[in-house]
Amino acid sequence: MRRTFFKYISLNMLGALGLSGYIMADTFFVANRLGSDGLAALNLAIPIFGLINGLGILLGIGGATRYSICRYQGDEDRGNRTFTLSLLTGLGLGIILALLGAFCARPIALLLGANTDTLPLCTVYLRTVLLFSPCFLLNHVMVCFVRNDGNPKLAMTAMLAGSLANIALDYLFLYPLNMGIFGAALATGTAPVIGLCLSSLHSLTGRNQYRLSRPANPARSLADAAGLGSAAFLNEFTSCMVLALYNTLMLRAAGTVGVAAYGVVANLALMALALFTGLSQGAQPLISQSYGRGDHHTVRQLCRLALLVSCLVGLALALIAQFGAEPLAALFNRDGDPELARLAVSGLRIYFWGFLFAGPNIIAASFLGAVEQPRASFLLSLFRGGIGIAALVLLLAWLLGVTGIWLAFPVTELLTLFLALGASRRVLRTPLS
């Protein structure tokens, strides 16, 4: 069991890290090619990318969780209907987002806080990325179902290949071809196309056990899948919505250079969060399968293993930030701006203490969703990713300024940890049903 667990989580942590590399590659190349204005514009646009990823994860994780439970309970028809509904809903939502990108990119950029310096760059990036929304959503759905259908290696390969292609295309479009921020967005949009092609090989080679099937009671089935994937959606979506709030507060407290400094911290934090996302997504199929078989002892073992790994990863990240903040910040500081360096280094050292607590919180929320406790999972994720951190960043920014903005994340995660431990302990101590 442990060998299978570590195989799944290692593959998915690598894959999720690669997936988060979409934005990290853009951030690195844009910062070094276009300077602080480009970095600020990109950071303002990231919340929309979070919406796209969040919807994809909602449909992928939720649908794939239900598929795994149905498969191990012998209800293949329901599993196939869930797969089909997840795929069709992803396509439909992707088309809607693409239309918003085509016609509403500038108003969205203004809503996210773009000013005279950043509006043209932010608008171009948003329009281009949103036009690729169907590919992003379908890629998320396919990767999740391929993973839950017993092919985690292909799922990881699809995610990593897209990320590596994005890095190569970022360099090509921004340097030799000099395409500006449009090139960065185009490279990001191309990545899920490559990932989708690779994950489709699972079906094209006949290894898939899921099939297209006409959905029955689509509204009810969609609500069921969405409930199981709500924690994963909230982790992704609310973190990016809170990022927009952080941008606004940082703009008021430290100007454009403050937004650029937060861009450094936020993008490195997204890479860190990807490790926990990969860990939770790797453990989820195994937990769901054991739960579907009624093997509650294994469910508890898997949960405890995931929590232990998350604590070790969180400690490593916190220590890296303490001792490596200066070289990490320098990667994104093309002009050697001392104020940008000061703000980013301070932010990394304070903000990354939150990962000591964020990992267990994410694992707890994912565990609750995997054992059909969507309400507890949803409320936990809503507090840590939305209500709790929004309230605390507003309060601490008012009390402590920029330092308070950095402190809000670790304080929120610490408070969430007490709620997560209480909810998980209640489930672990009682029979799962």
Side-chain angles (χ1 to χ4, degrees):
M1 184 270 292
R2 290 192 178 189
R3 184 177 179 180
T4 303
F5 170 79
F6 283 108
K7 173 187 174 183
Y8 266 72
I9 67 164
S10 60
L11 291 173
N12 282 282
M13 288 171 77
L14 282 172
L17 198 62
L19 192 61
S20 69
Y22 291 177
I23 292 296
M24 179 54 69
D26 282 355
T27 302
F28 176 79
F29 286 110
V30 167
N32 285 279
R33 186 63 170 168
L34 304 178
S36 59
D37 283 345
L39 179 56
L42 179 62
N43 199 48
L44 290 168
I46 287 177
I48 291 299
F49 193 81
L51 171 64
I52 297 170
N53 276 345
L55 289 172
I57 289 173
L58 174 72
L59 296 170
I61 291 293
T65 298
R66 175 54 64 197
Y67 167 77
S68 287
I69 293 172
C70 291
R71 177 182 167 189
Y72 282 88
Q73 290 178 341
D75 192 352
E76 293 184 5
D77 288 341
R78 186 181 179 189
N80 290 334
R81 292 196 298 268
T82 300
F83 166 70
T84 305
L85 185 61
S86 299
L87 208 62
L88 292 176
T89 305
L91 178 61
L93 289 174
I95 291 172
I96 292 171
L97 290 172
L99 291 173
L100 285 174
F103 300 107
C104 303
R106 190 174 187 276
I108 294 172
L110 289 169
L111 183 64
L112 292 172
N115 57 22
T116 305
D117 295 329
T118 57
L119 181 60
L121 296 171
C122 190
T123 300
V124 170
Y125 190 88
L126 284 172
R127 179 178 294 116
T128 308
V129 166
L130 281 168
L131 287 173
F132 282 93
S133 295
C135 299
F136 280 112
L137 267 67
L138 291 177
N139 184 44
H140 274 295
V141 171
M142 287 301 299
V143 163
C144 289
F145 273 89
V146 168
R147 180 192 303 122
N148 281 41
D149 204 35
N151 201 346
K153 287 185 178 179
L154 181 59
M156 180 204 69
T157 301
M159 290 189 286
L160 285 180
S163 183
L164 292 173
N166 180 44
I167 294 170
L169 292 173
D170 263 323
Y171 173 78
L172 176 65
F173 292 161
L174 280 167
Y175 283 88
L177 298 181
N178 196 28
M179 296 170 66
I181 202 164
F182 168 72
L186 182 61
T188 297
T190 304
V193 177
I194 295 170
L196 186 58
C197 291
L198 287 174
S199 60
S200 297
L201 291 175
H202 185 66
S203 299
L204 294 174
T205 56
R207 297 185 62 184
N208 59 304
Q209 297 187 57
Y210 49 73
R211 299 287 187 274
L212 291 174
S213 178
R214 184 173 181 177
N217 299 317
R220 182 178 179 181
S221 298
L222 184 60
D224 171 65
L228 296 176
S230 60
F233 166 74
L234 281 174
N235 284 334
E236 186 74 26
F237 175 65
T238 56
S239 65
C240 286
M241 292 301 100
V242 170
L243 188 149
L245 176 59
Y246 266 75
N247 282 333
T248 301
L249 294 173
M250 193 62 80
L251 188 64
R252 294 176 181 173
T256 301
V257 69
V259 176
Y262 179 60
V264 175
V265 176
N267 280 281
L268 289 170
L270 286 175
M271 293 285 285
L273 283 169
L275 293 173
F276 298 116
T277 301
L279 173 57
S280 66
Q281 290 181 358
Q284 173 269 315
L286 301 177
I287 293 173
S288 295
Q289 290 165 16
S290 299
Y291 176 73
R293 291 194 300 263
D295 186 357
H296 301 155
H297 174 69
T298 301
V299 168
R300 294 179 173 89
Q301 282 188 308
L302 289 168
C303 181
R304 292 182 178 117
L305 271 175
L307 287 171
L308 175 61
V309 174
S310 71
C311 290
L312 294 175
V313 172
L315 177 61
L317 290 170
L319 292 175
I320 288 170
Q322 300 314 301
F323 298 106
E326 292 182 358
L328 286 171
L331 289 173
F332 305 93
N333 193 359
R334 180 192 67 174
D335 301 322
D337 186 329
E339 182 65 9
L340 175 58
R342 183 186 69 81
L343 288 169
V345 168
S346 173
L348 284 168
R349 287 175 174 162
I350 297 172
Y351 195 95
F352 267 59
W353 283 116
F355 290 113
L356 284 173
F357 320 115
N361 292 336
I362 292 171
I363 296 303
S366 177
F367 162 73
L368 292 168
V371 297
E372 294 187 294
Q373 299 288 327
R375 184 173 179 272
S377 177
F378 177 84
L379 291 175
L380 189 63
S381 297
L382 181 62
F383 178 81
R384 70 168 293 271
I387 295 173
I389 194 168
L392 280 166
V393 74
L394 288 169
L395 175 63
L396 293 175
W398 177 62
L399 292 174
L400 302 172
V402 172
T403 301
I405 294 174
W406 299 134
L407 273 172
F409 174 68
V411 172
T412 302
E413 294 294 350
L414 177 59
L415 293 175
T416 306
L417 183 62
F418 293 108
L419 301 175
L421 291 176
S424 299
R425 189 179 293 113
R426 283 194 298 273
V427 174
L428 288 170
R429 287 180 175 177
T430 56
L432 300 172
S433 58

